C-alpha cells in the first residue's frame, strides 16, 4: 500500500468513527427527549375531574408527539377540566387531541390559553375548529373557556365562532379572550356569535347567562366596543367585565356604559387604559347609579380628569354601598378633585383600596390627600402616590383643550346625532328654543344699569310669578346653562335693598331646583360653575366668566341656606381654598365666602330632625 492509499484508509476510518459518534449522540438525544416528555407527562395533575398539562413548555407538532397525552385523555373517566396552556400545538396534534375529546361529554372547563406560540396564524383557526367540533360532537356543556394569549386575530375568532353559537356554550359562564389581537373585525364576529348564542338558547328553552367576560389588549376600538355592547345589553347577566387597553374612546365608552346599566349583578368593571374623558366618565357614572353590587371599579389610565372625578364622587355619595376598590390612577386629576373623591369614600365601610397615583396633585396636594384620608381613619387604604405627575402647567392645559376639540371634530360622523340625541335635545315653544331665548334676552338686558336690576328682574323673570317663568325656562339637566344663568343673575347683585332681595330670592329658587335632584346633578352643576369661574379646568374651549364681587356674595348667601348641604360646601371649599389668589382683587367678598364655607364644613353633622321620619 503506497502512501496515498494509507492516507485514504486512515481518513475513511476517521470518518467512520465520527459518524458512529454522531449516531450514538442522536440516539442519546432522542432518548433524552422521550425521557423529558415522559417526565413532563408524569408531572401532570390528574384528579378531581381535571387533567392538566399546564406550563410544561412542550412543542407538540403531530399526532405521534401527543400519543401519550391522547391516551391519558381517552382513559380519563369523568373528565371535567382540561388544561393545555403553556404548550404549543400544531394542527395535527390539535386534531389528534380533538379526536380524543369526542367522547368527553362531561367536559366543562377548557383552559387553553397560550397554546400556539411560534405557530403560523393561519394554522390556529384550523386547530381551534377541530377542538370546537369535538366538543360539539361530544355534547359537552362548557362553563369556562379560556383562550387568552393566543394572538390569533379576527381569523382565530372565526375558528371558535361555531362553538360559541352551539348548545355547548349555552351554559358558558366565563369567557376569557385576553390578549388575542381580535381587532375591530374580531370584536364584531365575537359579538354576533354571543348574540346568536343567546337567541338560540332562548329558542330551545335555555338561558345564556355569561357572567365573566375578559378581553383586554385586543384593539377593539370604538366599533368593536359598540358591537360587544349590544351583546352585553341583550344578555344582562354579566358580573365581571374586563376590557383594558383596547383603544376605546368616549363614544365606545358611552355605548358600553349604556349596556352596563342593563347588567344589574355587575361586581367588577375594569376598563383600565382606555380614553374616557368627561363624556365617557359621565356616561359610566349614570350607569353606576343603577348598579348596587359593584365591588371593583378600575378606571385607571382612562383620562377621567377632574370633572369626571367629581362626577364619580357624586355616585360614591349616592350609591355603590359595597365598593371595595376604586382605581382612578393616571387620570389627570388635580388636587381639589382628588380631595372630593377622598371625602366621598368616608362612609364606605367595605372600602379597601383607593388608587389616585399618577395624577396631578403636586407635593402639597399629595400631603393634603394623605392627611384627609388619615383624618377619616382611612389612611391605610390609600395607594402609593409615588408616581404623581405634579401640578399641571397652565400652558399645557391650553394645548390639551385644543387636542380635545380636534378629537371631537375627527369623530363627528353619521352617528353623531344619535350619540347626542338625548343630551342635545332642545325643547321648543312657539317655534323658538326656550334655551336660546332665556340666554340671549338676559345677555341683552344685562347691559342695563345695575340700579335698574330690580325692575329688570321682575319684568324679565316675572318674579311676581317666580317659579312659573324662570324656573320653567332653566333646564337643570344642562349644568352649563344652569351655571351660566346663575352667574348672570348673581352679577346683578348690589346693596340696594329691593335689588338685593330680588337677586337673592331668585338665586335661592334656582339652587333649590338644582339641588333637589340627584347628587350627580348637583355635583355636575357645581363643577361646571367652578369651570366658568376659572377655578377648575374644563374640557374643550369654555369661555370663563369675568367675576364680580356680587357673584361671590350670592354664593356666600347660598352656602348658609338649608338646601346647600355640607358636602356641597366641602366641594366648593376644596377649590376656593386652593385658588384664593384668583380672588384677591375683591378680598372682602372672597373672605366672606371662604369664611361661610369653612364654617359650614366644620359644622358638626346633626342627627336628622324627628319630622323627617314617618311612623
Amino acid at each position: 500500500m503506497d502512501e496515498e492509499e494509507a492516507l485514504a484508509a486512515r481518513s475513511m476510518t476517521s470518518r467512520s468513527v465520527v459518524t458512529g459518534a454522531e449516531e450514538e449522540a442522536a440516539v442519546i438525544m432522542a432518548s433524552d427527549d422521550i425521557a423529558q416528555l415522559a417526565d413532563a407527562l408524569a408531572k401532570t395533575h390528574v384528579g378531581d375531574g381535571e387533567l392538566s398539562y399546564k406550563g410544561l413548555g412542550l412543542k407538540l407538532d403531530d399526532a405521534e408527539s401527543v400519543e401519550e397525552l391522547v391516551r391519558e385523555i381517552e382513559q380519563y373517566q369523568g373528565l371535567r377540566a382540561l388544561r393545555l396552556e403553556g404548550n404549543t400545538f400544531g394542527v395535527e396534534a390539535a386534531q389528534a387531541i380533538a379526536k380524543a375529546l369526542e367522547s368527553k361529554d362531561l367536559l366543562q372547563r377548557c383552559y387553553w390559553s397560550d397554546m400556539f406560540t411560534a405557530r403560523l396564524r393561519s394554522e390556529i383557526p384550523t386547530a381551534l375548529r377541530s377542538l370546537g367540533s369535538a366538543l360539539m360532537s361530544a355534547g359537552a356543556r362548557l362553563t369556562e373557556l379560556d383562550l387568552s394569549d393566543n394572538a390569533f386575530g379576527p381569523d382565530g375568532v372565526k375558528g371558535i365562532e361555531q362553538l360559541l353559537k352551539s348548545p355547548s356554550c349555552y351554559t358558558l359562564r366565563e369567557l376569557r379572550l385576553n390578549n388575542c389581537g381580535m381587532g375591530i373585525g374580531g370584536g364584531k364576529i365575537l359579538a354576533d356569535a354571543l348574540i346568536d348564542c343567546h337567541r338560540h338558547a332562548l329558542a330551545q328553552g335555555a338561558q345564556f347567562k355569561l357572567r365573566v367576560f375578559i378581553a383586554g389588549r385586543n384593539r377593539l376600538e370604538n366599533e368593536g366596543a359598540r358591537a360587544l355592547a349590544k351583546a352585553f345589553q341583550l344578555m344582562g347577566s354579566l358580573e365581571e367585565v374586563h376590557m383594558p387597553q383596547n383603544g376605546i374612546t368616549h363614544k365606545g365608552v358611552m355605548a358600553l356604559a349604556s349596556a352596563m346599566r342593563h347588567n344589574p349583578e355587575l361586581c367588577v368593571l375594569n376598563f383600565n387604559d382606555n380614553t374616557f374623558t368627561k363624556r365617557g366618565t359621565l356616561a359610566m357614572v349614570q350607569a353606576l347609579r343603577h348598579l348596587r353590587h359593584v365591588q371593583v371599579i378600575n378606571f385607571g389610565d382612562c383620562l377621567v380628569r377632574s370633572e369626571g372625578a367629581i362626577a364619580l364622587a357624586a355616585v360614591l355619595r349616592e350609591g355603590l354601598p359595597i365598593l371595595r376598590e376604586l382605581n382612578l390612577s393616571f387620570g389627570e386629576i388635580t388636587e381639589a378633585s382628588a380631595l372630593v373623591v377622598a371625602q366621598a369614600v368616608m362612609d364606605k365601610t367595605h372600602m379597601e383600596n383607593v388608587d389616585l397615583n399618577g395624577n396631578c396633585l403636586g407635593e402639597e396636594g399629595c400631603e393634603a390627600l394623605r392627611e384627609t384620608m388619615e383624618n377619616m381613619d382611612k389612611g391605610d387604604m390609600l395607594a402609593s402616590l409615588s408616581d404623581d405627575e405634579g401640578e399641571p402647567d397652565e400652558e399645557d392645559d391650553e394645548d390639551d383643550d385644543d387636542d380635545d376639540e380636534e378629537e371631537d371634530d375627527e369623530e363627528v360622523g353619521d352617528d353623531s346625532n344619535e350619540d347626542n340625541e338625548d343630551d342635545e335635545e332642545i325643547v321648543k315653544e312657539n317655534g323658538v328654543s326656550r334655551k336660546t331665548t332665556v340666554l340671549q334676552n338676559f345677555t341683552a338686558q344685562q347691559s342695563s344699569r345695575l340700579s335698574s336690576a330690580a325692575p329688570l328682574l321682575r319684568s324679565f323673570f316675572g318674579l311676581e310669578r317666580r317659579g312659573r317663568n324662570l324656573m320653567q325656562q332653566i333646564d337643570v339637566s344642562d349644568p352649563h346653562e344652569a351655571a351660566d344663568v346663575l352667574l348672570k343673575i348673581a352679577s346683578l347683585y348690589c346693596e340696594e335693598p329691593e335689588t338685593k332681595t330680588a337677586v337673592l330670592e331668585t338665586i335661592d329658587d334656582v339652587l333649590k331646583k338644582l339641588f333637589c335632584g340627584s347628587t350627580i346633578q348637583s355635583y355636575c352643576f357645581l363643577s361646571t360653575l367652578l369651570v366658568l369661574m376659572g377655578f377648575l379646568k374644563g374640557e374643550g374651549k369654555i369661555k370663563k366668566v369675568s367675576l364680580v364681587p356680587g357673584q361671590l356674595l350670592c354664593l356666600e348667601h347660598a352656602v348658609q341656606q338649608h338646601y346647600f348641604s355640607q358636602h356641597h360646601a366641602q366641594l366648593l371649599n376644596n377649590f376656593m381654598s386652593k385658588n384664593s389668589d384668583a380672588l384677591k382683587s375683591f378680598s372682602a367678598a372672597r373672605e366672606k365666602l371662604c369664611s361661610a364655607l369653612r364654617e359650614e364644613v366644620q359644622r358638626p353633622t346633626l342627627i336628622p330632625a324627628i319630622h323627617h321620619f314617618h311612623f
Side-chain angles (χ1 to χ4, degrees), residues 156-214:
V157 185
K158 291 179 182 178
I160 59 171
E161 184 179 8
Q162 292 306 314
L163 172 64
L164 290 174
K165 293 179 180 181
S166 74
S168 289
C169 285
Y170 292 173
T171 52
L172 193 63
R173 297 294 178 260
E174 299 184 19
L175 177 60
R176 295 178 173 85
L177 295 168
N178 204 56
N179 190 31
C180 288
M182 288 189 289
I184 294 171
K188 289 181 176 180
I189 296 168
L190 176 61
D192 288 341
L194 294 175
I195 289 171
D196 284 348
C197 184
H198 184 272
R199 289 174 177 166
H200 294 164
L202 282 179
Q204 296 186 28
Q207 285 187 310
F208 178 50
K209 292 185 176 182
L210 189 67
R211 293 173 184 162
V212 177
F213 179 83
I214 301 175

Side-chain angles (χ1 to χ4, degrees), residues 610-615:
I610 192 70
H611 64 266
H612 288 173
F613 297 94
H614 300 280
F615 295 95

Side-chain angles (χ1 to χ4, degrees), residues 466-498:
R466 195 169 47 254
R468 286 181 294 172
N469 190 352
L470 175 63
M471 292 304 100
Q472 289 174 357
Q473 294 187 76
I474 295 180
D475 181 4
V476 295
S477 67
D478 184 340
H480 188 276
E481 179 194 346
D484 193 36
V485 170
L486 184 86
L487 289 172
K488 286 183 169 70
I489 296 169
S491 69
L492 298 174
Y493 177 94
C494 69
E495 290 302 326
E496 191 274 316
E498 189 177 5

Side-chain angles (χ1 to χ4, degrees), residues 261-366:
R261 66 190 296 174
H262 294 278
N263 289 264
E265 300 302 316
L266 266 171
C267 299
V268 178
L269 283 86
N270 176 8
F271 293 103
N272 189 284
D273 199 8
N274 290 289
T275 307
F276 281 30
T277 62
K278 177 183 174 181
R279 279 174 287 183
T281 307
L282 289 177
M284 279 292 176
V285 163
Q286 292 297 335
L288 288 168
R289 292 186 66 196
H290 298 268
L291 305 173
R292 303 290 297 174
H293 302 289
V294 175
Q295 298 179 37
V296 177
I297 294 175
N298 187 343
F299 295 164
D301 208 6
C302 283
L303 214 60
V304 164
R305 292 180 172 158
S306 294
E307 285 186 277
I310 291 172
L312 283 164
V315 81
L316 286 169
R317 292 273 187 189
E318 195 175 77
L320 304 175
I322 59 173
L323 188 66
R324 292 189 294 105
E325 297 179 24
L326 176 65
N327 185 344
L328 298 179
S329 60
F330 300 93
E332 294 189 3
I333 299 168
T334 54
E335 174 192 342
S337 297
L339 290 175
V340 175
V341 172
Q343 290 154 356
V345 305
M346 179 174 58
D347 297 325
K348 299 298 174 190
T349 56
H350 295 83
M351 187 66 78
E352 297 173 2
N353 183 268
V354 177
D355 192 345
L356 288 162
N357 192 26
N359 283 297
C360 304
L361 310 184
E363 254 183 72
E364 293 182 5
C366 289

